[in-house]
Amino acid sequence: MKLLCSPASPYSSKVRMAAHFLGIELNAIRVDTNTGPAILVDNNPLGKIPTLLTEEGASIFDSVAIMHYFDRLTNGGLYPSKDGKRTDAEVLEALCDGICDCLLTIVYERRFRDEEKVHQPWIDRQWKKVTAGLAHLSAKPPKLGKKLNGGHFALAATLDYLDLRFKDQWEADHATLVDWLAQFEMKFPAHRELKASA
């Protein structure tokens, strides 16, 4: 299978980690969404990443749909079978993806607008959502338990993206999450290798 992705994308990172955890081989193809390459727009009308191209010729997007496809492919290898625990994992993933949505909004506001047109109140509003989400996670960090799930990979990808784009702007207030990531790496040693290869 081919994964159209970007090394900096937290959604791509989440999917790559999950695939590695499940033993699913992916051929990661880096694409620049700003240039709208044919391989991307021909397979995803939104021109967004990640987009998965299956051996059967199907294209699957976005990251949540890909994660659930992986779960079905491995007969429940990525999400808990019990309804309550599965819901917890899915809500964790949704929260982390939502935080990443806000972080990307901030990055794009700064990157694609002329400096004098950057709207700081909009950035502040997004950052407030980020800090609220992180505070919620810090107050009750998700248990890693015996088996990792989709929510865990989403949180790891979120923290990686914070480290990449917002270093030294969040760690002091969320030492619990810094510690959580260290524990995650102990359970998923490939994390560091995948992060370095991104």
Side-chain angles (χ1 to χ4, degrees), residues 21-81:
F21 172 72
L22 296 168
I24 296 172
E25 286 192 29
L26 290 181
N27 176 15
I29 300 173
R30 296 183 181 189
V31 294
D32 180 359
T33 56
N34 295 314
T35 64
I39 192 172
L40 180 59
V41 296
D42 288 351
N43 288 290
N44 182 342
L46 301 174
K48 297 175 74 173
I49 53 170
T51 295
L52 182 72
L53 308 180
T54 71
E55 300 296 338
E56 296 75 31
S59 59
I60 301 172
F61 50 89
D62 62 1
S63 65
V64 174
I66 295 170
M67 297 285 276
H68 286 277
Y69 175 75
F70 285 170
D71 186 62
R72 291 190 298 276
L73 203 62
T74 57
N75 296 313
L78 195 53
Y79 295 93
S81 57

Side-chain angles (χ1 to χ4, degrees), residues 29 41 101-102 105 107 109 129 131 142 148 190 197:
I29 300 173
V41 296
D101 291 346
C102 296
T105 297
V107 169
E109 177 72 13
K129 294 178 183 181
T131 56
L148 297 175
S197 68

Side-chain angles (χ1 to χ4, degrees), residues 118-180:
V118 170
H119 192 57
Q120 190 60 42
W122 177 246
I123 290 176
D124 294 342
R125 183 178 176 189
Q126 300 308 310
W127 188 248
K128 185 176 181 181
K129 294 178 183 181
V130 169
T131 56
L134 293 177
H136 178 84
L137 290 165
S138 291
K140 194 175 181 183
K143 293 179 181 178
L144 287 163
K146 293 180 181 178
K147 186 179 175 185
L148 297 175
N149 62 53
H152 296 135
F153 294 113
L155 179 52
T158 300
L159 298 178
D160 288 345
Y161 191 72
L162 278 161
D163 188 54
L164 176 68
R165 299 292 190 217
F166 299 86
K167 194 163 184 65
D168 301 326
Q169 297 178 49
W170 65 279
E171 299 94 320
D173 294 327
H174 302 289
T176 305
L177 295 180
V178 175
D179 182 60
W180 182 92

